[in-house]
Amino acid sequence: MAMVGLFWIAEGDVYVGAKPTGSAPGVRLTPEGVLALGDGQAGLFLWEDVRALTMADVPVKTLKRQIGAVTELALDAVVNLALPGGPGPSGGGPAMMALRVETPDGDRALSAYAAAAVGYTETEADLSQALLSRLTDGAATMATTLAAMSAWGRTWEGSSPRTAQREELLREWLS
């Protein structure tokens, strides 16, 4: 499983944001449509009904965000050394993003956690938004694009690729 832009690809499954566990919210892209997962957001939006997909509240990687993450880790380590079994990590968890699904019946916002701890690069976020838009260009385009993403996920071994390779993959899936 690996993160590529705003997508989490686990074997052949493609998620927007992090792959959810348990009852956590998430969104999976299937050949049939956009599948809402987790408590409070069940449903399948068929591709034929999806007019647009856009992601809101995407955390973009900044120096301030990176320094904050390092500071938080250091503070957590000090607190846990001073208070063994104490309060645990002080962070509020990963950022929550919203995938806006536009259909003839109106818009629906689906929640998903960000997979990038300190945010996504601006380029990855932009390419991912373009890829989400491409998925709504018609059945053939959607099927080809999702198939390419799934095929890559089934053959990829290891952790998430480095930034340059992730951006290259996103560009390839856009072409």
Side-chain angles (χ1 to χ4, degrees):
M1 64 186 147
M3 179 190 74
V4 179
L6 300 179
F7 306 96
W8 189 262
I9 304 171
E11 297 168 1
D13 297 332
V14 178
Y15 298 87
V16 180
K19 178 182 177 181
T21 58
S23 62
V27 178
R28 183 172 165 216
L29 304 176
T30 72
E32 294 78 31
V34 179
L35 180 61
L37 303 167
D39 287 346
Q41 65 171 28
L44 175 67
F45 299 88
L46 299 175
W47 286 114
E48 61 205 37
D49 297 329
V50 176
R51 292 183 179 168
L53 293 172
T54 53
M55 187 62 89
D57 306 319
V58 175
V60 177
K61 187 184 291 188
T62 63
L63 181 58
K64 182 179 177 182
R65 187 181 298 272
Q66 290 173 307
I67 290 171
V70 170
T71 303
E72 187 174 298
L73 284 173
L75 181 59
D76 286 344
V78 170
V79 169
N80 288 327
L81 283 174
L83 304 169
S90 62
M96 185 69 74
M97 303 183 296
L99 178 66
R100 190 177 129 261
V101 181
E102 183 183 319
T103 69
D105 298 329
D107 293 358
R108 174 91 185 271
L110 303 177
S111 299
Y113 286 110
V118 294
Y120 301 92
T121 67
E122 188 96 30
T123 302
E124 276 186 284
D126 291 346
L127 289 169
S128 296
Q129 292 279 19
L131 191 54
L132 285 169
S133 178
R134 179 174 169 71
L135 290 171
T136 63
D137 284 349
T141 301
M142 176 279 304
T144 303
T145 304
L146 272 184
M149 295 171 80
S150 294
W152 178 86
R154 282 190 295 278
T155 60
W156 177 254
E157 294 179 14
S159 60
S160 296
R162 294 199 168 282
T163 303
Q165 188 178 3
R166 293 191 309 259
E167 291 174 2
E168 181 181 320
L169 281 166
L170 290 167
R171 285 184 180 95
E172 179 183 317
W173 295 332
L174 277 166
S175 62

